[in-house]
Amino acid sequence: MSSTSSTSLFTAHSALTPHGWDEDWADAFAPYAAEGLLPGRVVRVDRGQCDVVTADGVLRADTAFVTPHDPLRVVCTGDWVAVEPDGNPRYVQTCLPRRTAFVRSTSSKRSEGQILAANVDHAIVAVSLAAELDLARIERFLALAWESGAQPLVVLTKADLVPDPVTLGHLVQDVETTAPGVPVLSVSAERGEGLDALAAVVAGGTAVLLGQSGAGKSTLANALLGEDVMDVQAIRDVDGKGRHTTTTRNLLVMPGGGVLIDTPGLRGVGLWDASSGVGQVFAEIEELGRDCRFHDCAHESEPGCAVLAAIDTGELPERRLESYRKLMRENQRIVAKTDARVRAEIRKEWKRRGAIGKAAMEAKRGRVR
């Protein structure tokens, strides 16, 4: 489609601009406009149907035509779709190619991924200061966020519960060390502190709000939206945990610009083919690993390992390396479930390590004799 026609299509549906509509989306939608379909963005999905915001208003549409066997291709909150202009019921005809997608592994034993949000620019990881910081969980969220293609952002909520500014500063610094290259903000929705800075970061794009139940996501969402859109429930004082407040993923326009996708509290955050995301979270380990003697160094007991040397000197915290190993192993298991080549490589690595261990044991016995 010509740029002029694409611009005309963008202008014709400019009412969608607050929801993220731009000329690139108009260009991607052009073939479906020729079929008489309407562009729209999915703001909510519920039991095989979805709410789609269009230039003519919000439509209820059935997703039966685009529900594939691949769970990663189902219609999701944040998707841009082509929907029928009329009909009872209406149907979503297709989804436009996604720019980004936030995916986790399902809690089932099947090797499936679950898409949580699509076409996201910022992934806000909400962490409550009402409980002790779980740095390993933050690293897990960040790995998925980096892998999605979005820019991660850690928001420490309920900062009013840490009245000492020095203590708060130390907590922020701990998270910054855990999240290289990621902005870390402390906010108090109760007092309105830090909200302007957060709103400025996410304005003009799509942000998804992630975190455990009790992290204060719904309260934070209400503060960003300027009204009580999300229900808020009390949390337990003992551990800062709460019940699920949000039960569906909802896309809402923020008054300062941009849109927000709120998600249910995530008890389980399994990795889903996130090796590059893990690498970005542990960028310093990846960098150190380039100086190891062996290119396939596992950073466990190999001679000339630069990562272990950094542990010995105190340059690298041992907790970081343990977390890195855990996430890499988990990700490898997930990938191996669906990739025969990876399974073969894992078996080969087990045999290699077994041979090294056997040789070391025989050498030790020889010295004893």
Side-chain angles (χ1 to χ4, degrees), residues 17-355:
T17 302
H19 287 86
W21 179 250
D22 57 30
E23 292 202 16
D24 288 337
W25 286 121
D27 189 51
F29 184 77
Y32 306 104
E35 299 175 15
L37 299 175
L38 291 175
R41 194 167 195 190
V42 177
V43 298
R44 186 172 180 270
V45 178
D46 181 29
R47 299 178 183 178
Q49 293 189 314
C50 62
D51 293 334
V52 181
V53 61
T54 71
D56 297 331
V58 178
L59 309 177
R60 187 72 168 167
D62 197 299
T63 64
F65 285 173
V66 287
T67 302
H69 295 296
D70 183 355
L72 298 183
R73 297 305 307 166
V74 299
V75 176
C76 178
T77 302
D79 270 325
W80 284 94
V81 298
V83 65
E84 294 174 331
D86 49 36
N88 187 20
R90 286 187 174 91
Y91 287 94
V92 173
Q93 294 296 320
T94 191
C95 285
L96 299 187
R98 292 164 176 157
R99 294 177 181 174
T100 62
F102 193 97
V103 181
R104 68 165 178 175
S105 66
T106 61
S107 57
S108 69
K109 294 182 179 180
R110 299 189 304 272
S111 55
E112 293 182 352
Q114 178 191 19
I115 181 165
L116 299 179
N119 301 311
V120 171
D121 301 297
H122 306 281
I124 304 173
V125 180
V127 180
S128 173
L129 290 175
E132 185 177 353
L133 288 177
D134 186 342
L135 298 179
R137 179 170 286 271
I138 294 174
E139 289 162 344
R140 179 178 291 272
F141 269 108
L142 290 175
L144 291 176
W146 279 122
E147 192 69 32
S148 75
Q151 168 64 50
L153 169 67
V154 178
V155 174
L156 303 179
T157 65
K158 308 179 185 181
D160 50 285
L161 298 181
V162 187
D164 179 20
V166 175
T167 301
L168 180 59
H170 286 318
L171 291 172
V172 171
Q173 189 174 28
D174 286 344
V175 177
E176 287 176 337
T177 302
T178 300
V182 176
V184 179
L185 300 175
S186 61
V187 305
S188 169
E190 187 75 21
R191 297 178 180 175
E193 298 170 353
L195 294 174
D196 289 344
L198 175 58
V201 171
V202 299
T206 297
V208 62
L209 192 52
L210 307 156
Q212 288 182 285
S213 298
K217 298 191 308 301
S218 294
T219 301
L220 183 59
N222 286 338
L224 289 171
L225 295 167
E227 55 182 318
D228 292 338
V229 176
M230 302 296 176
D231 292 333
V232 177
Q233 296 179 351
I235 65 169
R236 300 196 297 256
D237 293 332
V238 175
D239 54 12
K241 294 182 179 179
R243 295 173 292 169
H244 288 308
T245 299
T246 304
T247 57
T248 58
R249 289 174 281 279
N250 304 280
L251 185 148
L252 300 155
V253 176
M254 292 183 285
V259 295
L260 181 70
I261 299 176
D262 193 18
T263 64
L266 302 175
R267 291 192 179 94
V269 194
L271 299 185
W272 178 258
D273 196 3
S275 59
S276 65
V278 174
Q280 285 182 276
V281 174
F282 299 94
E284 79 278 31
I285 296 178
E286 299 268 307
E287 183 66 28
L288 286 166
R290 296 188 181 97
D291 294 327
C292 291
R293 182 182 301 176
F294 304 109
H295 75 277
D296 59 347
C297 184
H299 317 313
E300 292 185 352
S301 59
E302 297 87 344
C305 175
V307 174
L308 295 180
I311 293 288
D312 292 338
T313 62
E315 178 186 352
L316 178 69
E318 190 168 356
R319 187 207 68 78
R320 285 280 285 172
L321 179 57
E322 286 301 319
S323 185
Y324 173 76
R325 287 170 174 163
K326 180 179 180 181
L327 292 182
M328 289 297 284
R329 286 194 299 266
E330 177 183 330
N331 189 72
Q332 197 173 43
R333 286 196 300 270
I334 288 293
V335 175
K337 288 182 179 180
T338 56
D339 192 321
R341 180 184 57 80
V342 173
R343 287 198 297 272
E345 289 178 354
I346 291 174
R347 284 194 295 270
K348 182 179 179 181
E349 178 64 15
W350 286 343
K351 289 179 179 179
R352 185 184 74 85
R353 293 188 186 183

